[in-house]
Amino acid sequence: MPATRLSRSPIQPLALLGLLLAVAAAIALALAPASGVRAGSSHLVEIEDFAFTPATLTIQVGETVTWTNLDQVEHTATSTSGAFDSGLLGQGESYSVTFTEAGTYDYLCTPHPSMTGQIVVVAAPTAPTPAPSQATSGGELPDVATAPPPSTDPRAPIGIALLAALGLVLAATLRRRATR
């Protein structure tokens, strides 16, 4: 019987390109800032020693509060107005609420009503309107387009470096395949 030679099926360049682009897109999405009401910050309230810490928390619209029970007994975080209710939380369990409206939200632990807390939600500040640098002869303001501020997200350089590295890997792989 003649010997047969097994050959590996090389990854098609377009399939490899698609895979690398998918990875790059996933990285870009992971590093992109959130849009919407606010790039929601998270705040923690610990339930420990039969108390909420902090007892009063001030946040902005669009931010999230997470209560975590550190006690060995079950507790709740229950709004007195019915806005939210965690149900019973066992030790180590958490419950989160994203607040979408400004207001004051009083809450308590239903099994232990002497445990109380308060979330104060304030409207997110709006960017101030820049003062005009000059007025037109008719007293009207000139039509000036302003550029958005540069990104201050500390993850941006990391994302750019990762995408550049992926581009280099892709280029080297395709160059190697072309020389075979």
CSV table of all heavy atoms in Angstrom, one decimal, residues 63-133:
chain,number,residue,atom,x,y,z
A,63,GLU,N,-26.5,56.5,38.2
A,63,GLU,CA,-25.5,55.7,38.9
A,63,GLU,C,-26.2,54.6,39.6
A,63,GLU,O,-27.4,54.6,39.8
A,63,GLU,CB,-24.8,56.6,39.9
A,63,GLU,CG,-23.9,57.7,39.2
A,63,GLU,CD,-23.1,58.5,40.1
A,63,GLU,OE1,-23.5,58.7,41.3
A,63,GLU,OE2,-22.1,59.0,39.6
A,64,THR,N,-25.4,53.6,40.0
A,64,THR,CA,-25.9,52.3,40.6
A,64,THR,C,-25.4,52.2,42.0
A,64,THR,O,-24.3,52.5,42.3
A,64,THR,CB,-25.4,51.1,39.8
A,64,THR,OG1,-25.9,51.3,38.4
A,64,THR,CG2,-25.9,49.8,40.3
A,65,VAL,N,-26.3,51.7,42.9
A,65,VAL,CA,-26.0,51.4,44.2
A,65,VAL,C,-26.1,49.9,44.4
A,65,VAL,O,-27.1,49.3,44.0
A,65,VAL,CB,-26.9,52.1,45.2
A,65,VAL,CG1,-26.6,51.7,46.7
A,65,VAL,CG2,-26.8,53.6,45.1
A,66,THR,N,-25.1,49.3,45.0
A,66,THR,CA,-25.1,47.9,45.3
A,66,THR,C,-25.0,47.7,46.8
A,66,THR,O,-24.1,48.2,47.5
A,66,THR,CB,-24.0,47.1,44.6
A,66,THR,OG1,-24.1,47.3,43.2
A,66,THR,CG2,-23.9,45.7,45.0
A,67,TRP,N,-26.0,47.0,47.4
A,67,TRP,CA,-26.0,46.6,48.8
A,67,TRP,C,-25.4,45.2,48.9
A,67,TRP,O,-25.8,44.3,48.2
A,67,TRP,CB,-27.4,46.6,49.4
A,67,TRP,CG,-28.0,48.0,49.5
A,67,TRP,CD1,-28.0,48.7,50.7
A,67,TRP,CD2,-28.8,48.7,48.6
A,67,TRP,NE1,-28.7,49.9,50.4
A,67,TRP,CE2,-29.2,49.9,49.2
A,67,TRP,CE3,-29.1,48.5,47.2
A,67,TRP,CZ2,-29.9,50.9,48.5
A,67,TRP,CZ3,-29.8,49.4,46.5
A,67,TRP,CH2,-30.2,50.6,47.2
A,68,THR,N,-24.5,45.0,49.8
A,68,THR,CA,-23.9,43.7,50.1
A,68,THR,C,-24.1,43.3,51.6
A,68,THR,O,-23.6,44.1,52.4
A,68,THR,CB,-22.5,43.6,49.7
A,68,THR,OG1,-22.4,43.9,48.3
A,68,THR,CG2,-21.9,42.2,49.9
A,69,ASN,N,-24.7,42.2,51.8
A,69,ASN,CA,-24.9,41.8,53.2
A,69,ASN,C,-23.7,41.0,53.7
A,69,ASN,O,-23.3,40.0,53.2
A,69,ASN,CB,-26.1,40.8,53.3
A,69,ASN,CG,-26.4,40.4,54.7
A,69,ASN,OD1,-25.8,40.9,55.7
A,69,ASN,ND2,-27.3,39.5,54.9
A,70,LEU,N,-23.0,41.6,54.7
A,70,LEU,CA,-21.8,41.0,55.3
A,70,LEU,C,-22.1,40.4,56.7
A,70,LEU,O,-21.3,39.7,57.3
A,70,LEU,CB,-20.7,42.1,55.5
A,70,LEU,CG,-20.3,42.8,54.2
A,70,LEU,CD1,-19.3,43.9,54.6
A,70,LEU,CD2,-19.8,41.8,53.2
A,71,ASP,N,-23.4,40.5,57.1
A,71,ASP,CA,-23.8,39.9,58.4
A,71,ASP,C,-24.2,38.4,58.2
A,71,ASP,O,-24.4,38.0,57.0
A,71,ASP,CB,-25.1,40.6,59.0
A,71,ASP,CG,-24.7,41.8,59.8
A,71,ASP,OD1,-23.6,41.9,60.2
A,71,ASP,OD2,-25.6,42.6,60.0
A,72,GLN,N,-24.2,37.7,59.2
A,72,GLN,CA,-24.6,36.3,59.2
A,72,GLN,C,-26.1,36.1,59.1
A,72,GLN,O,-26.6,35.0,58.8
A,72,GLN,CB,-24.0,35.5,60.3
A,72,GLN,CG,-22.5,35.4,60.3
A,72,GLN,CD,-21.9,34.6,61.4
A,72,GLN,OE1,-22.6,34.2,62.3
A,72,GLN,NE2,-20.6,34.4,61.3
A,73,VAL,N,-26.9,37.1,59.4
A,73,VAL,CA,-28.3,37.0,59.3
A,73,VAL,C,-28.8,37.7,58.1
A,73,VAL,O,-28.1,38.5,57.5
A,73,VAL,CB,-29.0,37.7,60.6
A,73,VAL,CG1,-28.6,37.0,61.9
A,73,VAL,CG2,-28.7,39.1,60.7
A,74,GLU,N,-30.0,37.4,57.6
A,74,GLU,CA,-30.6,37.9,56.4
A,74,GLU,C,-31.1,39.4,56.7
A,74,GLU,O,-31.6,39.7,57.8
A,74,GLU,CB,-31.7,37.1,55.9
A,74,GLU,CG,-31.3,35.7,55.4
A,74,GLU,CD,-32.4,34.9,54.9
A,74,GLU,OE1,-33.5,35.0,55.4
A,74,GLU,OE2,-32.2,34.1,54.0
A,75,HIS,N,-30.9,40.2,55.7
A,75,HIS,CA,-31.4,41.6,55.7
A,75,HIS,C,-32.0,41.9,54.4
A,75,HIS,O,-31.8,41.2,53.4
A,75,HIS,CB,-30.2,42.6,55.9
A,75,HIS,CG,-29.6,42.4,57.3
A,75,HIS,ND1,-30.2,42.8,58.5
A,75,HIS,CD2,-28.4,42.0,57.7
A,75,HIS,CE1,-29.4,42.6,59.5
A,75,HIS,NE2,-28.3,42.1,59.0
A,76,THR,N,-32.7,43.1,54.3
A,76,THR,CA,-33.3,43.6,53.1
A,76,THR,C,-32.8,45.0,52.9
A,76,THR,O,-32.5,45.7,53.9
A,76,THR,CB,-34.8,43.5,53.0
A,76,THR,OG1,-35.4,44.5,53.9
A,76,THR,CG2,-35.3,42.2,53.3
A,77,ALA,N,-32.9,45.5,51.7
A,77,ALA,CA,-32.8,47.0,51.4
A,77,ALA,C,-34.2,47.3,50.7
A,77,ALA,O,-34.3,47.0,49.5
A,77,ALA,CB,-31.6,47.3,50.5
A,78,THR,N,-35.1,47.8,51.5
A,78,THR,CA,-36.5,48.0,51.0
A,78,THR,C,-36.9,49.4,51.0
A,78,THR,O,-36.9,50.0,52.1
A,78,THR,CB,-37.5,47.1,51.8
A,78,THR,OG1,-37.0,45.8,51.8
A,78,THR,CG2,-38.9,47.2,51.3
A,79,SER,N,-37.2,50.0,49.9
A,79,SER,CA,-37.6,51.4,49.8
A,79,SER,C,-38.9,51.6,50.6
A,79,SER,O,-39.8,50.8,50.5
A,79,SER,CB,-37.8,51.8,48.4
A,79,SER,OG,-38.5,53.0,48.2
A,80,THR,N,-39.0,52.7,51.3
A,80,THR,CA,-40.2,53.0,52.1
A,80,THR,C,-41.3,53.4,51.1
A,80,THR,O,-42.5,53.4,51.5
A,80,THR,CB,-40.0,54.0,53.2
A,80,THR,OG1,-39.5,55.2,52.6
A,80,THR,CG2,-39.0,53.5,54.2
A,81,SER,N,-41.0,53.8,49.9
A,81,SER,CA,-42.0,54.3,48.9
A,81,SER,C,-42.3,53.2,47.9
A,81,SER,O,-43.1,53.4,47.0
A,81,SER,CB,-41.5,55.5,48.2
A,81,SER,OG,-40.4,55.1,47.4
A,82,GLY,N,-41.7,52.0,48.0
A,82,GLY,CA,-41.9,50.9,47.1
A,82,GLY,C,-41.1,51.0,45.8
A,82,GLY,O,-41.3,50.2,44.9
A,83,ALA,N,-40.1,51.9,45.8
A,83,ALA,CA,-39.3,52.0,44.6
A,83,ALA,C,-38.4,50.8,44.3
A,83,ALA,O,-38.1,50.5,43.1
A,83,ALA,CB,-38.5,53.3,44.6
A,84,PHE,N,-38.0,50.1,45.3
A,84,PHE,CA,-37.1,49.0,45.2
A,84,PHE,C,-37.2,48.1,46.4
A,84,PHE,O,-37.6,48.5,47.5
A,84,PHE,CB,-35.7,49.3,44.9
A,84,PHE,CG,-35.0,50.2,46.0
A,84,PHE,CD1,-34.4,49.6,47.1
A,84,PHE,CD2,-35.0,51.6,45.9
A,84,PHE,CE1,-33.8,50.4,48.1
A,84,PHE,CE2,-34.5,52.4,46.9
A,84,PHE,CZ,-33.9,51.8,48.0
A,85,ASP,N,-36.9,46.8,46.2
A,85,ASP,CA,-36.9,45.9,47.3
A,85,ASP,C,-36.0,44.7,47.0
A,85,ASP,O,-36.2,44.0,46.0
A,85,ASP,CB,-38.3,45.3,47.6
A,85,ASP,CG,-38.4,44.4,48.8
A,85,ASP,OD1,-37.4,44.2,49.5
A,85,ASP,OD2,-39.5,43.9,49.1
A,86,SER,N,-35.0,44.5,47.8
A,86,SER,CA,-34.0,43.5,47.5
A,86,SER,C,-34.5,42.1,47.8
A,86,SER,O,-33.9,41.1,47.3
A,86,SER,CB,-32.7,43.8,48.3
A,86,SER,OG,-33.0,43.6,49.7
A,87,GLY,N,-35.5,42.0,48.6
A,87,GLY,CA,-35.9,40.7,49.2
A,87,GLY,C,-34.8,40.3,50.2
A,87,GLY,O,-33.9,41.1,50.4
A,88,LEU,N,-34.9,39.2,50.8
A,88,LEU,CA,-34.0,38.8,51.8
A,88,LEU,C,-32.6,38.5,51.2
A,88,LEU,O,-32.5,37.7,50.2
A,88,LEU,CB,-34.5,37.5,52.6
A,88,LEU,CG,-35.6,37.8,53.5
A,88,LEU,CD1,-36.2,36.5,54.1
A,88,LEU,CD2,-35.2,38.7,54.7
A,89,LEU,N,-31.6,39.1,51.7
A,89,LEU,CA,-30.2,38.8,51.2
A,89,LEU,C,-29.5,38.0,52.3
A,89,LEU,O,-29.3,38.5,53.5
A,89,LEU,CB,-29.5,40.2,51.0
A,89,LEU,CG,-30.0,41.1,49.9
A,89,LEU,CD1,-29.3,42.4,50.0
A,89,LEU,CD2,-29.9,40.4,48.6
A,90,GLY,N,-28.9,36.9,52.0
A,90,GLY,CA,-28.1,36.1,52.9
A,90,GLY,C,-26.7,36.7,52.9
A,90,GLY,O,-26.3,37.6,52.2
A,91,GLN,N,-25.9,36.1,53.8
A,91,GLN,CA,-24.5,36.6,53.9
A,91,GLN,C,-23.8,36.4,52.6
A,91,GLN,O,-23.8,35.4,51.9
A,91,GLN,CB,-23.8,35.7,55.0
A,91,GLN,CG,-22.4,36.3,55.3
A,91,GLN,CD,-21.7,35.5,56.4
A,91,GLN,OE1,-22.0,34.3,56.6
A,91,GLN,NE2,-20.7,36.1,57.0
A,92,GLY,N,-23.2,37.5,52.2
A,92,GLY,CA,-22.4,37.6,50.9
A,92,GLY,C,-23.2,37.9,49.7
A,92,GLY,O,-22.7,38.1,48.6
A,93,GLU,N,-24.5,38.0,49.8
A,93,GLU,CA,-25.4,38.3,48.7
A,93,GLU,C,-25.5,39.8,48.5
A,93,GLU,O,-25.4,40.5,49.4
A,93,GLU,CB,-26.8,37.7,48.8
A,93,GLU,CG,-26.8,36.1,48.8
A,93,GLU,CD,-28.2,35.6,48.9
A,93,GLU,OE1,-29.0,36.1,49.6
A,93,GLU,OE2,-28.4,34.6,48.2
A,94,SER,N,-25.7,40.2,47.2
A,94,SER,CA,-25.8,41.6,46.8
A,94,SER,C,-27.0,41.9,46.1
A,94,SER,O,-27.6,41.0,45.5
A,94,SER,CB,-24.6,42.0,46.0
A,94,SER,OG,-23.4,41.9,46.8
A,95,TYR,N,-27.4,43.1,46.0
A,95,TYR,CA,-28.5,43.6,45.3
A,95,TYR,C,-28.2,45.0,44.8
A,95,TYR,O,-27.6,45.8,45.5
A,95,TYR,CB,-29.8,43.7,46.2
A,95,TYR,CG,-31.0,44.4,45.6
A,95,TYR,CD1,-31.7,43.8,44.6
A,95,TYR,CD2,-31.4,45.6,46.1
A,95,TYR,CE1,-32.8,44.4,44.1
A,95,TYR,CE2,-32.5,46.3,45.6
A,95,TYR,CZ,-33.2,45.6,44.6
A,95,TYR,OH,-34.3,46.2,44.0
A,96,SER,N,-28.5,45.3,43.5
A,96,SER,CA,-28.2,46.5,42.9
A,96,SER,C,-29.4,47.2,42.3
A,96,SER,O,-30.3,46.6,41.8
A,96,SER,CB,-27.1,46.3,41.7
A,96,SER,OG,-25.9,45.8,42.3
A,97,VAL,N,-29.4,48.6,42.3
A,97,VAL,CA,-30.4,49.4,41.7
A,97,VAL,C,-29.7,50.5,41.0
A,97,VAL,O,-28.8,51.2,41.6
A,97,VAL,CB,-31.4,50.0,42.8
A,97,VAL,CG1,-32.4,51.0,42.1
A,97,VAL,CG2,-32.1,48.9,43.5
A,98,THR,N,-30.1,50.8,39.8
A,98,THR,CA,-29.7,52.0,39.0
A,98,THR,C,-30.8,53.0,39.1
A,98,THR,O,-31.9,52.8,38.8
A,98,THR,CB,-29.4,51.6,37.6
A,98,THR,OG1,-28.3,50.6,37.5
A,98,THR,CG2,-28.9,52.9,36.8
A,99,PHE,N,-30.4,54.2,39.7
A,99,PHE,CA,-31.4,55.2,39.9
A,99,PHE,C,-31.5,56.1,38.7
A,99,PHE,O,-30.5,56.8,38.3
A,99,PHE,CB,-31.0,56.0,41.2
A,99,PHE,CG,-31.2,55.2,42.4
A,99,PHE,CD1,-30.2,54.4,42.9
A,99,PHE,CD2,-32.4,55.3,43.1
A,99,PHE,CE1,-30.4,53.6,44.0
A,99,PHE,CE2,-32.5,54.5,44.3
A,99,PHE,CZ,-31.5,53.7,44.7
A,100,THR,N,-32.7,56.2,38.1
A,100,THR,CA,-32.9,57.0,36.8
A,100,THR,C,-33.6,58.3,37.1
A,100,THR,O,-33.8,59.0,36.1
A,100,THR,CB,-33.6,56.1,35.8
A,100,THR,OG1,-34.9,55.7,36.4
A,100,THR,CG2,-32.8,54.9,35.4
A,101,GLU,N,-34.0,58.6,38.3
A,101,GLU,CA,-34.8,59.8,38.6
A,101,GLU,C,-34.2,60.4,39.8
A,101,GLU,O,-33.9,59.7,40.8
A,101,GLU,CB,-36.2,59.6,38.8
A,101,GLU,CG,-37.0,59.1,37.5
A,101,GLU,CD,-38.5,58.9,37.7
A,101,GLU,OE1,-39.0,59.5,38.7
A,101,GLU,OE2,-39.1,58.2,36.9
A,102,ALA,N,-34.1,61.8,39.8
A,102,ALA,CA,-33.6,62.5,41.0
A,102,ALA,C,-34.7,62.4,42.1
A,102,ALA,O,-35.8,62.2,41.8
A,102,ALA,CB,-33.4,64.0,40.7
A,103,GLY,N,-34.2,62.4,43.3
A,103,GLY,CA,-35.1,62.3,44.5
A,103,GLY,C,-34.4,61.8,45.7
A,103,GLY,O,-33.2,61.4,45.6
A,104,THR,N,-35.1,61.7,46.8
A,104,THR,CA,-34.6,61.1,48.0
A,104,THR,C,-35.3,59.8,48.2
A,104,THR,O,-36.5,59.7,48.2
A,104,THR,CB,-34.8,62.1,49.2
A,104,THR,OG1,-34.1,63.3,48.9
A,104,THR,CG2,-34.3,61.5,50.5
A,105,TYR,N,-34.6,58.7,48.4
A,105,TYR,CA,-35.1,57.4,48.6
A,105,TYR,C,-34.7,56.9,50.0
A,105,TYR,O,-33.6,56.5,50.2
A,105,TYR,CB,-34.5,56.4,47.5
A,105,TYR,CG,-34.9,56.9,46.1
A,105,TYR,CD1,-34.2,57.8,45.4
A,105,TYR,CD2,-36.0,56.3,45.4
A,105,TYR,CE1,-34.5,58.2,44.1
A,105,TYR,CE2,-36.4,56.7,44.2
A,105,TYR,CZ,-35.6,57.7,43.5
A,105,TYR,OH,-36.0,58.1,42.2
A,106,ASP,N,-35.7,56.9,50.8
A,106,ASP,CA,-35.5,56.3,52.2
A,106,ASP,C,-35.7,54.8,52.1
A,106,ASP,O,-36.6,54.3,51.3
A,106,ASP,CB,-36.5,56.9,53.2
A,106,ASP,CG,-36.2,58.4,53.4
A,106,ASP,OD1,-35.0,58.7,53.5
A,106,ASP,OD2,-37.2,59.2,53.4
A,107,TYR,N,-34.9,54.0,52.8
A,107,TYR,CA,-35.1,52.6,52.8
A,107,TYR,C,-34.8,52.0,54.2
A,107,TYR,O,-34.3,52.7,55.1
A,107,TYR,CB,-34.2,51.9,51.8
A,107,TYR,CG,-32.7,52.1,52.0
A,107,TYR,CD1,-32.0,51.1,52.6
A,107,TYR,CD2,-32.1,53.2,51.5
A,107,TYR,CE1,-30.6,51.2,52.8
A,107,TYR,CE2,-30.7,53.3,51.7
A,107,TYR,CZ,-30.0,52.3,52.3
A,107,TYR,OH,-28.6,52.4,52.5
A,108,LEU,N,-35.2,50.8,54.4
A,108,LEU,CA,-35.0,50.1,55.7
A,108,LEU,C,-34.8,48.6,55.4
A,108,LEU,O,-35.0,48.1,54.3
A,108,LEU,CB,-36.2,50.4,56.6
A,108,LEU,CG,-37.6,50.0,56.2
A,108,LEU,CD1,-37.9,48.6,56.3
A,108,LEU,CD2,-38.6,50.9,56.9
A,109,CYS,N,-34.5,47.9,56.5
A,109,CYS,CA,-34.5,46.4,56.5
A,109,CYS,C,-35.8,46.0,57.1
A,109,CYS,O,-36.1,46.3,58.2
A,109,CYS,CB,-33.3,45.9,57.3
A,109,CYS,SG,-33.2,44.1,57.5
A,110,THR,N,-36.6,45.2,56.3
A,110,THR,CA,-37.9,44.9,56.8
A,110,THR,C,-37.9,44.0,58.0
A,110,THR,O,-38.7,44.2,58.9
A,110,THR,CB,-38.8,44.2,55.7
A,110,THR,OG1,-38.1,43.2,55.1
A,110,THR,CG2,-39.2,45.3,54.7
A,111,PRO,N,-37.0,43.0,58.2
A,111,PRO,CA,-36.9,42.2,59.4
A,111,PRO,C,-36.4,43.0,60.6
A,111,PRO,O,-36.6,42.7,61.7
A,111,PRO,CB,-36.0,41.1,59.1
A,111,PRO,CG,-35.8,41.0,57.7
A,111,PRO,CD,-36.1,42.4,57.2
A,112,HIS,N,-35.7,44.1,60.3
A,112,HIS,CA,-35.0,44.9,61.4
A,112,HIS,C,-35.3,46.4,61.1
A,112,HIS,O,-34.4,47.1,60.6
A,112,HIS,CB,-33.5,44.7,61.4
A,112,HIS,CG,-33.2,43.2,61.4
A,112,HIS,ND1,-32.7,42.6,60.3
A,112,HIS,CD2,-33.3,42.3,62.4
A,112,HIS,CE1,-32.5,41.3,60.6
A,112,HIS,NE2,-32.9,41.1,61.8
A,113,PRO,N,-36.5,46.9,61.3
A,113,PRO,CA,-36.9,48.2,60.8
A,113,PRO,C,-36.1,49.4,61.5
A,113,PRO,O,-36.2,50.5,61.0
A,113,PRO,CB,-38.4,48.3,61.2
A,113,PRO,CG,-38.8,47.1,62.0
A,113,PRO,CD,-37.6,46.1,61.9
A,114,SER,N,-35.4,49.1,62.5
A,114,SER,CA,-34.5,50.2,63.1
A,114,SER,C,-33.3,50.4,62.2
A,114,SER,O,-32.6,51.4,62.3
A,114,SER,CB,-34.1,49.8,64.5
A,114,SER,OG,-33.3,48.6,64.5
A,115,MET,N,-33.0,49.5,61.2
A,115,MET,CA,-31.9,49.7,60.3
A,115,MET,C,-32.5,50.5,59.1
A,115,MET,O,-33.4,50.1,58.4
A,115,MET,CB,-31.5,48.3,59.7
A,115,MET,CG,-30.8,47.5,60.7
A,115,MET,SD,-30.3,45.8,59.9
A,115,MET,CE,-29.4,46.3,58.5
A,116,THR,N,-32.0,51.8,59.0
A,116,THR,CA,-32.5,52.7,58.0
A,116,THR,C,-31.4,53.3,57.2
A,116,THR,O,-30.2,53.3,57.7
A,116,THR,CB,-33.4,53.8,58.5
A,116,THR,OG1,-32.6,54.6,59.4
A,116,THR,CG2,-34.6,53.2,59.3
A,117,GLY,N,-31.7,53.7,56.0
A,117,GLY,CA,-30.7,54.4,55.1
A,117,GLY,C,-31.4,55.3,54.2
A,117,GLY,O,-32.6,55.3,54.1
A,118,GLN,N,-30.6,56.0,53.4
A,118,GLN,CA,-31.2,57.0,52.5
A,118,GLN,C,-30.2,57.2,51.3
A,118,GLN,O,-29.0,57.3,51.5
A,118,GLN,CB,-31.3,58.4,53.2
A,118,GLN,CG,-32.0,59.4,52.4
A,118,GLN,CD,-32.2,60.7,53.2
A,118,GLN,OE1,-31.2,61.4,53.5
A,118,GLN,NE2,-33.4,61.0,53.5
A,119,ILE,N,-30.8,57.2,50.1
A,119,ILE,CA,-30.1,57.4,48.9
A,119,ILE,C,-30.6,58.8,48.4
A,119,ILE,O,-31.8,58.9,48.1
A,119,ILE,CB,-30.3,56.3,47.8
A,119,ILE,CG1,-29.9,55.0,48.4
A,119,ILE,CG2,-29.5,56.7,46.6
A,119,ILE,CD1,-28.5,54.8,48.7
A,120,VAL,N,-29.8,59.8,48.2
A,120,VAL,CA,-30.1,61.1,47.6
A,120,VAL,C,-29.6,61.1,46.2
A,120,VAL,O,-28.4,61.0,46.0
A,120,VAL,CB,-29.5,62.2,48.5
A,120,VAL,CG1,-29.9,63.6,47.8
A,120,VAL,CG2,-30.0,62.1,49.9
A,121,VAL,N,-30.5,61.2,45.2
A,121,VAL,CA,-30.1,61.2,43.8
A,121,VAL,C,-30.3,62.6,43.3
A,121,VAL,O,-31.4,63.1,43.3
A,121,VAL,CB,-31.0,60.2,43.0
A,121,VAL,CG1,-30.5,60.1,41.6
A,121,VAL,CG2,-30.9,58.8,43.7
A,122,VAL,N,-29.2,63.1,42.8
A,122,VAL,CA,-29.2,64.5,42.2
A,122,VAL,C,-29.0,64.4,40.7
A,122,VAL,O,-28.4,63.5,40.2
A,122,VAL,CB,-28.2,65.4,42.8
A,122,VAL,CG1,-28.4,65.6,44.3
A,122,VAL,CG2,-26.8,64.8,42.6
A,123,ALA,N,-29.6,65.4,40.0
A,123,ALA,CA,-29.4,65.4,38.6
A,123,ALA,C,-27.9,65.6,38.2
A,123,ALA,O,-27.2,66.3,38.9
A,123,ALA,CB,-30.2,66.6,38.0
A,124,ALA,N,-27.5,64.9,37.2
A,124,ALA,CA,-26.1,65.0,36.7
A,124,ALA,C,-25.9,66.4,36.2
A,124,ALA,O,-26.7,67.0,35.6
A,124,ALA,CB,-25.9,64.0,35.6
A,125,PRO,N,-24.7,66.9,36.6
A,125,PRO,CA,-24.4,68.3,36.1
A,125,PRO,C,-24.3,68.4,34.6
A,125,PRO,O,-23.9,67.4,34.0
A,125,PRO,CB,-23.1,68.6,36.8
A,125,PRO,CG,-22.5,67.3,37.1
A,125,PRO,CD,-23.6,66.3,37.3
A,126,THR,N,-24.7,69.5,34.0
A,126,THR,CA,-24.6,69.7,32.6
A,126,THR,C,-23.4,70.5,32.4
A,126,THR,O,-23.0,71.3,33.2
A,126,THR,CB,-25.8,70.4,32.0
A,126,THR,OG1,-26.0,71.6,32.7
A,126,THR,CG2,-27.1,69.5,32.2
A,127,ALA,N,-22.8,70.3,31.2
A,127,ALA,CA,-21.6,71.1,30.8
A,127,ALA,C,-22.0,72.6,30.7
A,127,ALA,O,-23.0,72.9,30.1
A,127,ALA,CB,-21.0,70.6,29.6
A,128,PRO,N,-21.2,73.4,31.3
A,128,PRO,CA,-21.5,74.9,31.2
A,128,PRO,C,-21.3,75.3,29.7
A,128,PRO,O,-20.5,74.8,29.0
A,128,PRO,CB,-20.5,75.5,32.1
A,128,PRO,CG,-19.3,74.6,32.2
A,128,PRO,CD,-19.9,73.2,32.0
A,129,THR,N,-22.2,76.3,29.4
A,129,THR,CA,-22.1,76.9,28.0
A,129,THR,C,-20.9,77.8,28.0
A,129,THR,O,-20.8,78.7,28.9
A,129,THR,CB,-23.4,77.6,27.7
A,129,THR,OG1,-24.4,76.7,27.8
A,129,THR,CG2,-23.3,78.2,26.3
A,130,PRO,N,-19.9,77.6,27.1
A,130,PRO,CA,-18.8,78.5,27.1
A,130,PRO,C,-19.2,80.0,26.7
A,130,PRO,O,-20.1,80.2,25.9
A,130,PRO,CB,-17.9,77.9,26.0
A,130,PRO,CG,-18.7,77.1,25.2
A,130,PRO,CD,-19.9,76.7,26.0
A,131,ALA,N,-18.5,80.9,27.3
A,131,ALA,CA,-18.8,82.3,27.1
A,131,ALA,C,-18.3,82.6,25.7
A,131,ALA,O,-17.2,82.2,25.3
A,131,ALA,CB,-18.1,83.2,28.1
A,132,PRO,N,-19.0,83.4,24.9
A,132,PRO,CA,-18.6,83.8,23.6
A,132,PRO,C,-17.3,84.6,23.7
A,132,PRO,O,-17.2,85.5,24.6
A,132,PRO,CB,-19.8,84.5,23.0
A,132,PRO,CG,-20.5,85.1,24.2
A,132,PRO,CD,-20.3,84.1,25.3
A,133,SER,N,-16.4,84.5,22.7
A,133,SER,CA,-15.2,85.2,22.7
A,133,SER,C,-15.4,86.6,22.0
A,133,SER,O,-14.7,87.5,22.2
A,133,SER,CB,-14.1,84.5,22.0
A,133,SER,OG,-14.5,84.1,20.7
